[in-house]
């Protein structure tokens, strides 16, 4: 059975304090690894899709990387507006089958 | 323009009632999904439809019945609501084998 595990469950950072979120996955035949951001009371908002080991993608202060077993979401010099829950998901078989992790709740303190 | 929309946003009802949640997407996607997010924020897929055809049914009680009248709509009907059905339900859409885009969610509370 496909599994996606995220760590830590919660992370509290000072503004400007860089860190990384981890997503470990066990899926048969990875077709894509997704990162989403979810704000309270809202739906997940798409951030990145990674397809193969070694791939990296960046957007503003966020950078996602992928290896054969895990993905990292690096946050450089975070701001309070980066506070949210970050979800990782893996697609296997067909993209219709996507398994989500339980998320990392990030709080950035001014 | 809202890409994936759901109605209602909040739904409070008594045990045993029947209720429906509607979803519409204007992205031109072929595939639509329903997810359930529990109190611990875990998102679990319930159903997936591709071009109005059921693709995934993830061991969901048969009290839950999705209906896709056309490619842009996927509704979720729930019979005989139970306390454990309380959750946030998200609709999503995508092109086949592409990134999924989510709606704003419907918070269902069963009393």
């Amino acid at each position: 059975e496909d599994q996606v595990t995220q760590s830590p469950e919660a992370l509290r950072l000072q503004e400007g304090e860089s860190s990384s979120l981890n997503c470990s996955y066990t899926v048969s035949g990875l077709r894509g690894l997704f990162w989403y951001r979810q704000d309270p009371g809202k739906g997940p908002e798409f951030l990145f899709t990674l397809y193969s080991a070694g791939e990296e993608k960046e957007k503003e202060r966020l950078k996602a990387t992928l290896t054969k077993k895990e993905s990292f979401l690096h946050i450089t010099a975070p701001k309070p507006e980066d506070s949210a829950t970050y979800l990782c998901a893996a697609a296997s078989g067909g993209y219709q089958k996507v398994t989500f992790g339980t998320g990392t709740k990030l709080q950035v303190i001014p | 323009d809202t890409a994936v929309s759901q109605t209602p946003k909040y739904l409070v009802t008594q045990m045993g009632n029947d209720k429906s949640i509607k979803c519409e997407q204007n992205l031109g996607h072929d595939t639509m999904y329903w997810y359930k997010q529990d109190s611990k924020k875990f998102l679990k897929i319930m159903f997936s439809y591709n071009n109005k055809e059921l693709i995934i049914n993830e061991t969901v009680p048969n009290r839950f019945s999705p209906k896709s009248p056309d490619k842009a709509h996927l509704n979720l009907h729930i019979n005989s609501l139970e306390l454990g059905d309380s959750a946030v339900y998200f609709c999503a859409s995508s092109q086949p084998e592409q990134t999924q885009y989510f709606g704003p969610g419907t918070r269902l509370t069963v009393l």
Side-chain angles (χ1 to χ4, degrees), chain A residues 31 36 38 46 49 95-96, chain B residues 37 56 97-100:
Chain A
R31 303 297 292 271
Y36 289 85
Q38 187 174 22
F46 169 70
T49 304
Y95 270 39
Q96 287 87 346
Chain B
Q37 189 171 48
I56 294 175
E97 302 200 351
Q98 298 292 325
T99 302
Q100 296 179 20

Side-chain angles (χ1 to χ4, degrees), chain A:
Chain A
E1 187 178 330
D2 295 346
Q3 279 195 326
V4 176
T5 304
Q6 291 186 246
S7 62
E9 284 188 21
L11 182 61
R12 201 172 183 208
L13 298 174
Q14 292 290 330
E15 185 172 359
E17 180 187 0
S18 301
S19 188
S20 296
L21 313 183
N22 177 265
C23 170
S24 298
Y25 62 91
T26 306
V27 300
S28 48
L30 181 73
R31 303 297 292 271
L33 188 293
F34 308 97
W35 282 98
Y36 289 85
R37 168 191 171 129
Q38 187 174 22
D39 292 296
K42 296 191 175 181
E45 177 189 342
F46 169 70
L47 292 173
F48 303 108
T49 304
L50 302 167
Y51 294 98
S52 56
E55 189 175 359
E56 298 182 352
K57 288 195 176 171
E58 285 188 69
K59 180 181 178 181
E60 297 180 354
R61 294 177 293 282
L62 301 177
K63 178 180 175 181
T65 62
L66 181 65
T67 73
K68 288 186 177 180
K69 292 184 179 180
E70 55 193 351
S71 177
F72 293 93
L73 184 66
H74 307 277
I75 304 177
T76 303
K79 297 183 178 181
E81 53 262 42
D82 294 324
S83 297
T85 296
Y86 290 85
L87 299 170
C88 168
S92 63
Y95 270 39
Q96 287 87 346
K97 175 67 172 167
V98 174
T99 302
F100 277 82
T102 50
T104 293
K105 186 174 182 179
L106 173 67
Q107 184 184 13
V108 182
I109 303 160

Side-chain angles (χ1 to χ4, degrees), chain A residues 38-43 105, chain B residues 5-14 19-22 34-42 64 76 78 81-91 103-111:
Chain A
Q38 187 174 22
D39 292 296
K42 296 191 175 181
K105 186 174 182 179
Chain B
S5 60
Q6 296 178 228
T7 54
K9 187 162 175 62
Y10 300 97
L11 188 51
V12 181
T13 188
Q14 299 287 331
K19 290 293 179 186
S20 292
I21 306 172
K22 294 186 177 182
W34 278 109
Y35 284 85
K36 179 180 180 180
Q37 189 171 48
D38 60 26
S39 56
K40 293 188 177 181
K41 304 298 184 186
F42 181 59
F64 290 79
L76 184 65
I78 316 170
L81 278 156
E82 300 177 356
L83 291 176
D85 297 332
S86 295
V88 182
Y89 292 84
F90 287 100
C91 176
T106 295
R107 181 174 292 277
L108 172 64
T109 303
V110 182
L111 303 175

Side-chain angles (χ1 to χ4, degrees), chain B residues 62-81:
Chain B
N62 58 15
R63 297 181 296 103
F64 290 79
S65 53
K67 284 189 172 55
S68 182
D70 56 56
K71 233 171 54 166
H73 296 84
L74 180 62
N75 303 323
L76 184 65
H77 188 76
I78 316 170
N79 289 328
S80 303
L81 278 156

Side-chain angles (χ1 to χ4, degrees), chain B residues 12-29:
Chain B
V12 181
T13 188
Q14 299 287 331
M15 277 176 56
N17 284 351
D18 303 338
K19 290 293 179 186
S20 292
I21 306 172
K22 294 186 177 182
C23 178
E24 177 181 1
Q25 55 97 1
N26 63 5
L27 297 167
H29 290 162

